[in-house]
Amino acid sequence: MAHKPTSRWLVPRLLAWFDQHQRDLPWRHDRDPYRIWVSEVMLQQTQVATVIPYFERFLRAFPTLTDLARATEHDVLILWEGLGYYRRARDLHRAARELVASHGGQVPNDPDVLGKLPGFGRYTCNAVLSQAFDRRLPILEANSQRLLSRLFGREAHPQEASARRWLWDAAKALLPAKRVGAFNQALMELGALVCTPTDPQCEQCPLAGRCAARLQGRQEEIPARKAAPAPTQVREAAVVVRRAGRVLLAQRPERGRWAAMWEFPHVELRTGETEEDGANRVVVELMGMQAVVGRNC
């Protein structure tokens, strides 16, 4: 019977692999907590290759936390344009302003303080503090939770409450006494490069010898996957109002889909309503104005 993975067995193998195979990423060049924080926020829901040029442009514009705090929200969003999930940028900006106002423009080495700032959930807080200050705090995100599920043969979907609690506990139990930031990054890196969602490269994995999923030949099945939600079809009509070479834009509410973003005025079409009828409703009900509505006016 194979032995279960333990910290003493796993840590040296994982760190040795990371030292040899880690990618040369711009936020790994130092342990500046501000740079690490920006990278972690950008990497949420976004691929590394996409993030790199955004990160480099953002840091050129706002090289310090104080520079970011002094910027306008408009300037921050312009540099974020194309990354999506714009609430991340707004929370980053709000948190920077709070840190300048209350902490001298420094990222505090304190999870209780950092965790109360906008955008700092458990993962982001622990990722920044472990990488910047080597705080002994676990992380759990898509790559590490998949890796740990396979390593320990945990079949449940990682987003289920009981499975998630178990995985957080496992990640904490495996933490080394030193190089915690490198260890956390190594978990994510191994998941991203080797223990991939499909076709994992088990022959390249330093932990394969005690991986329960591999030993059972079930690495493609573990962890369980939830079926993708069925798409919801929405029909909308938008109006582009032109006048003297200018166009009219409306700002969305502060909450909900695409919060506070600017767009052409539009409505969701009612059952049986034509696009032209919807467009006329936009003009009358939302804009309170008179206009000639047409497809190519």
Side-chain angles (χ1 to χ4, degrees):
M1 179 179 295
H3 296 290
K4 291 184 178 180
T6 62
S7 179
R8 180 177 295 181
W9 177 87
L10 183 146
V11 168
R13 287 167 175 79
L14 185 58
L15 288 176
W17 176 89
F18 184 64
D19 289 340
Q20 183 176 356
H21 297 284
Q22 65 174 294
R23 289 170 288 185
D24 181 18
L25 303 177
W27 47 87
R28 288 178 176 165
H29 294 171
D30 55 45
R31 297 177 69 173
D32 180 349
Y34 169 63
R35 292 170 58 87
I36 293 169
W37 172 30
V38 172
S39 75
E40 288 295 341
V41 174
M42 286 187 170
L43 286 165
Q44 295 168 15
Q45 307 290 330
T46 311
Q47 296 292 323
V48 168
T50 301
V51 165
I52 291 174
Y54 279 93
F55 176 85
E56 292 174 337
R57 285 194 296 269
F58 198 88
L59 267 293
R60 283 196 297 270
F62 313 123
T64 69
L65 192 155
T66 301
D67 293 321
L68 175 59
R70 289 174 177 167
T72 66
E73 182 179 282
H74 173 77
D75 290 339
V76 174
L77 292 178
I78 286 294
L79 284 172
W80 204 273
E81 198 170 49
L83 269 181
Y85 301 97
Y86 289 91
R87 182 176 178 179
R88 296 180 297 172
R90 291 192 175 91
D91 284 346
L92 182 70
H93 190 219
R94 288 172 53 211
R97 289 188 164 181
E98 290 190 30
L99 288 172
V100 167
S102 303
H103 298 278
Q106 302 298 314
V107 176
N109 181 10
D110 185 338
D112 293 331
V113 174
L114 206 60
K116 295 176 182 177
L117 293 172
F120 273 96
R122 184 179 183 183
Y123 165 77
T124 303
C125 181
N126 290 6
V128 171
L129 294 183
S130 65
Q131 292 176 55
F133 304 111
D134 220 34
R135 288 293 295 259
R136 200 167 182 272
L137 297 166
I139 57 95
L140 194 66
E141 46 72 66
N143 290 312
S144 59
Q145 68 189 15
R146 180 176 60 254
L147 187 152
L148 292 173
S149 294
R150 287 173 175 169
L151 189 63
F152 290 96
R154 303 287 298 189
E155 297 183 23
H157 190 280
Q159 294 303 316
E160 293 180 8
S162 59
R164 195 155 184 82
R165 285 194 298 269
W166 191 94
L167 290 168
W168 272 111
D169 290 342
K172 183 177 181 179
L174 292 172
L175 289 174
K178 298 179 180 179
R179 297 193 68 193
V180 180
F183 176 82
N184 282 340
Q185 290 182 81
L187 279 178
M188 294 186 286
E189 194 82 333
L190 188 62
L193 301 182
V194 176
C195 195
T196 49
T198 58
D199 193 27
Q201 307 300 303
C202 297
E203 67 281 357
Q204 300 177 21
C205 181
L207 311 180
R210 294 190 184 180
C211 175
R214 178 178 181 272
L215 293 173
Q216 297 169 23
R218 302 183 61 207
Q219 56 267 43
E220 292 273 9
E221 303 170 21
I222 295 177
R225 301 176 189 176
K226 287 187 176 179
T232 301
Q233 292 188 350
V234 177
R235 295 177 63 240
E236 296 181 331
V239 173
V240 180
V241 180
R242 298 186 180 95
R243 183 175 181 181
R246 305 172 71 183
V247 296
L248 177 67
L249 296 178
Q251 190 172 24
R252 293 184 66 87
E254 289 292 331
R255 297 186 178 277
R257 183 178 61 166
W258 302 323
M261 302 303 291
W262 293 88
E263 63 185 4
F264 296 122
H266 74 282
V267 293
E268 184 174 342
L269 295 179
R270 298 166 178 165
T271 302
E273 188 175 33
T274 67
E275 295 172 352
E276 287 75 12
D277 289 341
N280 279 300
R281 187 156 55 88
V282 173
V283 172
V284 175
E285 296 181 8
L286 296 187
M287 297 158 49
M289 59 190 299
Q290 293 181 342
V292 177
V293 175
R295 291 182 178 272
N296 296 294
C297 290

